[in-house]
Amino acid sequence: SCGSGRLAQGFADEGVISEGWDIKDGEEANFLDKRVVRGFIQRVKAGEYFAVHFGLDCKTWSRARRGNNGPGPLRDDGEGLFGLPNLCCGDFRNVLRANTLTDHAFEILEACLKAGVSVTLENPRRSRLWLHPTLQRLLRRYKGTAHHCDFCQYGTKWMKGTTFLSWGVDLGELRRCKRSQGCCSRSKEP
């Protein structure tokens, strides 16, 4: 899934043919639809891609929702990993949607790995996505590598510690913030 689309745009800017797939681009890019997933996997098997990046939506996998004067959590690290039992209607639908999208993304990811396609997967460093049993199985079976960075080191106004998992591609040393006295090591601002 495409997320912000900045990575695909960056590759396109360098002359690499790139596609961003996201529901906001229309139903033909809706990875919640099993037919779209099957079609994409057929393209992977046909050798149309040499690399695929997944920027899965992190909203429902986030640990930021703690209920301290704000919305309560949607998941936990144990039996509620796929959704807490007491969720209201809207939260319940969002969690189910995210679970389906994640399952489909992991199905595509494994098809890519079987086809020898390089893969990266991005989510916040503390995301509960990293606890997903299917992802843990894929890491064991296909030996993915974790890379950590902080977005502030690439010019954003926020730190956002992020993990990239990679298979078949070396991302090298990604930049990490070395905060000093509460300030960003790049911008020197709090």
Side-chain angles (χ1 to χ4, degrees):
S1 71
C2 186
S4 69
R6 287 191 297 259
L7 186 62
Q9 186 58 54
F11 275 107
D13 290 348
E14 294 298 319
V16 178
I17 298 170
S18 301
E19 299 173 350
W21 286 64
D22 196 293
I23 182 63
K24 66 186 176 196
D25 298 320
E27 284 301 314
E28 65 279 356
N30 181 2
F31 282 133
L32 290 169
D33 184 335
K34 193 67 172 163
R35 292 170 300 186
V36 173
V37 171
R38 282 193 301 267
F40 192 87
I41 288 172
Q42 287 305 328
R43 292 179 68 192
V44 166
K45 289 178 178 179
E48 292 187 34
Y49 298 101
F50 72 90
V52 173
H53 171 75
F54 295 91
L56 289 174
D57 190 344
C58 59
K59 287 184 202 87
T60 74
W61 295 101
S62 174
R63 294 175 187 273
R65 288 183 58 150
R66 297 193 240 343
N68 304 344
N69 297 325
L74 301 174
R75 304 173 186 270
D76 66 23
D77 293 353
E79 290 182 21
L81 183 62
F82 296 103
L84 294 173
N86 61 339
L87 297 176
C88 71
C89 297
D91 285 342
F92 180 73
R93 277 192 306 272
N94 289 338
V95 167
L96 283 181
R97 182 179 182 273
N99 289 346
T100 300
L101 183 60
T102 300
D103 290 344
H104 290 176
F106 289 164
E107 184 180 349
I108 294 168
L109 193 153
E110 186 162 25
C112 289
L113 296 173
K114 286 178 178 179
V117 173
S118 296
V119 175
T120 56
L121 169 66
E122 166 193 359
N123 227 248
R125 191 171 306 137
R126 293 183 26 81
S127 172
R128 287 189 166 95
L129 179 71
W130 306 123
L131 302 174
H132 197 293
T134 301
L135 181 56
Q136 292 299 312
R137 178 184 60 77
L138 291 170
L139 280 167
R140 283 190 306 276
R141 180 175 287 170
Y142 298 100
K143 309 291 188 248
T145 304
H147 309 268
H148 308 289
C149 73
D150 296 307
F151 279 7
C152 60
Q153 299 304 294
Y154 296 92
T156 66
K157 294 188 184 299
W158 55 89
M159 185 175 177
K160 194 176 181 187
T162 300
T163 296
F164 289 83
L165 290 181
S166 68
W167 292 266
V169 60
D170 181 5
L171 299 180
E173 191 72 27
L174 301 181
R175 297 182 205 150
R176 304 278 302 268
C177 188
K178 298 168 185 66
R179 294 185 78 76
S180 174
Q181 299 176 338
C183 293
C184 173
S185 58
R186 181 178 182 276
S187 70
K188 310 299 186 225
E189 296 191 21

